[in-house]
Amino acid sequence: MSTSQAADRGEWRRTHTCGELRGSDVGQAVRLNGWVDKRRDHGGIYFVDVRDRYGLCQVVIDEKQTGEVKLGPEDVVGVWGQVVARGEDNCNTNIETGEIEVLAERIEVLSRSKVPPFEVIDNLDTAIETRLRYRFVDLRRGPLQRNLAHRSAFIHALRCAFMDEGFLEIETPILNRATPEGARDYLVPSRVHPGEFYALPQSPQIFKQILMISGYDRYFQVARCFRDEDLRADRQPEFTQLDMEMSFVLEEDVFEIWERALVRTFRETMAVDLPESFPRMRWIEAMDRFGSDKPDTRFGMELVALNEWALAGEFSVFRDSVEGGGRVMGIVVKGGAEKISRGQMKPLEKKAREAGARGLAWWKPGLSGGGAGPLARWCEGAHGEELLKIMGALEGDLLLFCADSRQVTWRVLGELRLSLARQLDLIPSGRWDFLWVTHFPMFERDEAAGRWTSSHHPFTAPEDWDLGGDPAQLDSRAYDLVLNGWELGSGSVRIHRSDVQQKVFELLGIGPEEQRQKFGFFLDALAHGAPPHAGFAVGLDRLVALTVGLDNIRDVIPFPKTTSAADLMCQAPSSVPEAQLEEVHIQLRPEARSPQEPPSGADS
RNA sequence: GGGGAUGUAGCUCAAUUGGUUAGAGUGCCGGCCUGUCACGCCGGAGGUUGCGGGUUCAAGUCCCGUCAUCCUCGCCA
């Protein structure tokens, strides 16, 4: 065996991948390349599994043939040899190439590997920290390779779907102008404009609207977006959207395009048949039935309104809540009387309080009235019977209640519903419950700042173009796509009239001067022939994660960042030499200065 | 910014009330083995117990601080 002779001569072409040889290839002379996986040395006979992203192939080494062979884990090798049948007794049905093996004539090590920090195996329980630090090893593992291959196929199918619908794929700038509102921007200092900064796009929103104004009536893009906000399992500081926009359309047109694209993509990449059309639900209905604007509709346990019943009863907490403009709602946990013990009520109550409730009223109805729980004494006789009827509950169920403002009631019961469903394993698997949520409110009140904010974004069209009446009551033409309780994406019919856009800015407390300064170009564009238009963007990381059964988006992203937005492999972010800062006219504040040493990454 | 969890060998974990030389599995290295495929057998190396400080005769263990990772609330138009 010689090291890198082949490399010196450039003879590293392979005839086959490690995953493709079959019984029908027996007798062929082949050349394989790959990484050394498992080795099984029996003295006179030496088995080596050689791996690439297509699979695994057993190579048999007889050192009388090949000379001495010393292979370490993850060495990159080239193997010349002959495909031979394993014989019935020696077949390995666990791998695709299990009928054959390659009898090595020559082995060359193209590249030696250090012992890897963890094994390249499918079922790995190594800490994510180590995996991210050595992501180049982690990415060799089957699950990651399958996830990224699926992601590639999935995005390809979506891209084809939009191309076939006549959409143009158009790129928009990464270096943008910082805009007020929305998430915190990632900033990039300008060298040629001292003291000025670009912002990375939170989304291509304004550019895609301008593309509509410019007549590109069907646009899409696989767009990277950046938001400098704190991370979650389903949130990375940079993420990918399939972003699109269309002119001369209504909501339904956008929905139908996406339904066709997703049906096709699920069929082509997963052999899953989605329904031709997804249900639509108004925002207010989602909130009243599920306590969430991204309801998981795979299971029931819906919220039940109990105002009338509460007013007919004697329980003053409930009565006062309703009379004070609040509401009383409840949920039924089927069979919950037995499944949720008194001791298990404590964590539920804690959860309710965390969601804003002042307490948690509950009732386990008894056979002949009464039963258990703080509410039992208020549910005796006909009043209790009435409650069971309204809620569709029976003896043996657990009934949970919340009396508060409608926002708190939604939130408390919405969270209890989800938490109980997970705890009691009520969520069926294998379901793809897509849902369009429509008619979001136009504005939300920011009490702390004493102003209105857009609940979607400030370019969203109102239901009423005159924007009359109480801003709190205005519906917008924004919509979300929800899958299994995850918000996959959002969009809206946009404002195409500069007068309406200015009115919305004013309602949001952005005065004429600020409008001119920050959005002048956009208002100008709107005043130069803007077609009515609407659009949507889907978070591909989330969608792809869901389709491979993950609740964390990290493993569908090749190089994800940690919850503190660090890249553990490259150790980004890092400090930079003073000279580089000078070029971009930046002087660090004292508390931001790091020691002279280059950053170690572990202590910044 | 707040809350919670975790941090011991390359990896995954254990270590009694604070008490002897910090152990196991796995991986790695060496030896043996001609049909293994989670190969087997024998042997070996491998530790700043995240970091800093404190309490104590004695700290992996207790206290304070700090860093990192994960989950989460706020935040994410």
Side-chain angles (χ1 to χ4, degrees):
Chain A
M1 179 183 64
S2 58
T3 300
S4 76
Q5 269 182 18
D8 292 344
R9 292 196 299 268
E11 288 179 11
W12 46 57
R13 295 199 187 99
R14 58 192 170 192
T15 60
H16 297 79
T17 67
C18 296
E20 70 176 302
L21 293 173
R22 297 289 182 273
S24 54
D25 296 308
V26 167
Q28 281 206 61
V30 297
R31 162 67 194 270
L32 299 181
N33 292 325
W35 284 260
V36 172
D37 203 81
K38 284 275 183 192
R39 299 155 294 159
R40 294 172 294 279
D41 185 354
H42 286 252
I45 190 166
Y46 184 12
F47 301 97
V48 181
D49 294 334
V50 180
R51 183 193 70 240
D52 61 19
R53 80 174 170 90
Y54 305 92
L56 203 66
C57 185
Q58 174 164 285
V59 172
V60 187
I61 297 168
D62 177 350
E63 290 186 326
K64 289 197 282 278
Q65 278 279 321
T66 60
E68 190 189 17
V69 173
K70 284 229 176 287
L71 299 176
E74 299 307 307
D75 285 344
V76 181
V77 293
V79 180
W80 286 259
Q82 194 160 35
V83 181
V84 297
R86 287 203 190 188
E88 246 171 66
D89 293 346
N90 288 322
C91 280
N92 183 348
T93 52
N94 294 321
I95 60 174
E96 303 247 13
T97 60
E99 281 182 38
I100 57 91
E101 60 197 358
V102 170
L103 185 56
E105 283 151 19
R106 193 164 120 226
I107 305 260
E108 290 201 7
V109 175
L110 303 176
S111 172
R112 288 280 183 199
S113 173
K114 289 185 175 178
V115 174
F118 47 83
E119 294 166 83
V120 181
I121 52 176
D122 283 8
N123 296 313
L124 188 78
D125 53 3
T126 294
I128 188 69
E129 193 173 352
T130 313
R131 291 176 45 205
L132 289 182
R133 179 152 171 226
Y134 298 96
R135 192 63 162 175
F136 39 85
V137 175
D138 197 28
L139 285 169
R140 277 182 205 153
R141 298 169 47 242
L144 276 284
Q145 297 206 332
R146 286 190 288 274
N147 289 352
L148 293 186
H150 170 68
R151 181 181 178 127
S152 171
F154 196 92
I155 292 175
H156 175 73
L158 274 177
R159 196 175 243 131
C160 291
F162 280 95
M163 299 289 289
D164 289 354
E165 298 272 3
F167 283 72
L168 298 182
E169 183 168 8
I170 301 176
E171 291 166 275
T172 53
I174 294 294
L175 296 174
N176 289 334
R177 186 201 163 88
T179 52
E181 308 233 5
R184 206 175 284 117
D185 285 318
Y186 276 101
L187 293 177
V188 179
S190 166
R191 175 179 58 84
V192 285
H193 299 282
E196 297 185 354
F197 295 82
Y198 301 96
L200 305 184
Q202 298 175 24
S203 80
Q205 185 61 35
I206 286 181
F207 287 104
K208 69 173 173 176
Q209 289 193 243
I210 286 179
L211 285 170
M212 293 304 109
I213 295 168
S214 303
Y216 297 85
D217 64 329
R218 290 188 165 209
Y219 140 94
F220 84 102
Q221 180 183 190
V222 178
R224 197 66 67 84
C225 305
F226 305 85
R227 294 179 190 174
D228 187 4
E229 297 292 346
D230 286 350
L231 275 55
R232 289 288 187 282
D234 61 352
R235 260 162 39 192
Q236 284 273 313
E238 53 180 303
F239 58 98
T240 306
Q241 288 189 339
L242 201 145
D243 189 48
M244 56 84 83
E245 195 80 10
M246 315 169 69
S247 294
F248 310 117
V249 294
L250 299 177
E251 288 88 337
E252 280 298 321
D253 301 293
V254 176
F255 297 169
E256 286 169 18
I257 291 273
W258 274 96
E259 285 162 354
R260 286 197 291 272
L262 287 167
V263 164
R264 171 175 173 175
T265 300
F266 269 61
R267 192 195 313 121
E268 286 179 5
T269 67
M270 301 159 63
V272 166
D273 280 317
L274 296 179
E276 296 288 303
S277 172
F278 309 154
R280 281 87 164 129
M281 187 183 291
R282 292 174 80 103
W283 175 85
I284 189 70
E285 183 183 346
M287 297 307 293
D288 277 339
R289 287 177 56 193
F290 301 97
S292 169
D293 60 3
K294 44 176 179 176
D296 191 336
T297 50
R298 289 175 296 175
F299 64 99
M301 216 196 288
E302 293 187 19
L303 280 55
V304 182
L306 299 171
N307 277 12
E308 283 178 30
W309 175 82
L311 284 174
E314 302 298 320
F315 187 35
S316 62
V317 172
F318 282 10
R319 289 189 62 106
D320 293 352
S321 182
V322 177
E323 280 163 3
R327 54 167 61 182
V328 176
M329 299 189 96
I331 54 175
V332 180
V333 186
K334 281 284 165 201
E338 213 170 286
K339 290 177 189 156
I340 307 289
S341 68
R342 196 170 277 264
Q344 286 171 308
M345 291 304 300
K346 279 268 184 270
L348 283 184
E349 192 182 331
K350 186 167 172 247
K351 188 137 198 102
R353 285 185 192 278
E354 280 166 2
R358 282 168 300 216
L360 180 61
W362 55 277
W363 182 36
K364 292 177 176 175
L367 246 191
S368 45
L375 211 68
R377 58 181 291 222
W378 307 103
C379 294
E380 283 168 359
H383 193 51
E385 292 290 329
E386 177 68 13
L387 180 62
L388 293 181
K389 207 174 114 194
I390 297 170
M391 297 187 74
L394 300 167
E395 194 204 1
D397 295 342
L398 167 65
L399 282 56
L400 299 169
F401 306 91
C402 183
D404 213 300
S405 67
R406 64 176 202 166
Q407 280 84 3
V408 171
T409 312
W410 284 334
R411 182 170 174 169
V412 167
L413 293 177
E415 296 208 355
L416 287 176
R417 173 178 177 270
L418 269 182
S419 154
L420 282 160
R422 291 191 191 116
Q423 185 184 334
L424 300 174
D425 204 19
L426 300 180
I427 305 176
S429 57
R431 290 264 297 264
W432 303 102
D433 279 22
F434 282 94
L435 174 71
W436 293 105
V437 179
T438 67
H439 296 83
F440 276 72
M442 185 76 184
F443 300 109
E444 280 163 20
R445 188 72 188 167
D446 180 346
E447 292 300 346
R451 63 190 184 99
W452 295 101
T453 60
S454 296
S455 48
H456 183 49
H457 61 51
F459 315 111
T460 303
E463 277 286 319
D464 171 11
W465 290 92
D466 296 330
L467 288 162
D470 180 4
Q473 300 300 320
L474 276 173
D475 275 350
S476 77
R477 297 180 68 178
Y479 37 81
D480 274 5
L481 180 62
V482 175
L483 170 57
N484 293 352
W486 282 39
E487 183 195 320
L488 278 190
S490 55
S492 58
V493 173
R494 322 297 184 185
I495 297 168
H496 64 285
R497 286 166 45 184
S498 57
D499 61 322
V500 176
Q501 187 65 70
Q502 284 175 54
K503 260 197 211 170
V504 168
F505 280 144
E506 271 157 42
L507 267 162
L508 292 170
I510 304 172
E513 182 50 38
E514 195 180 353
Q515 285 177 38
R516 203 163 27 250
Q517 197 192 332
K518 290 171 175 158
F519 294 109
F521 70 101
F522 183 64
L523 289 169
D524 209 23
L526 283 178
H528 279 84
H533 58 288
F536 200 71
V538 158
L540 289 179
D541 309 285
R542 285 184 189 177
L543 179 51
V544 172
L546 281 173
T547 57
V548 295
L550 295 174
D551 54 14
N552 194 304
I553 64 174
R554 262 191 310 255
D555 281 352
V556 297
I557 298 174
F559 303 104
K561 293 184 173 56
T562 67
T563 34
S564 62
D567 181 324
L568 295 181
M569 185 179 70
C570 334
Q571 304 198 332
S574 71
S575 57
V576 297
E578 186 61 33
Q580 215 177 341
L581 288 177
E582 259 176 49
E583 275 189 331
V584 294
H585 322 286
I586 286 183
Q587 187 172 25
L588 295 181
R589 299 169 64 87
E591 68 271 20
R593 289 200 185 115
S594 55
Q596 281 304 325
E597 281 291 300
S600 73
D603 53 29
S604 57

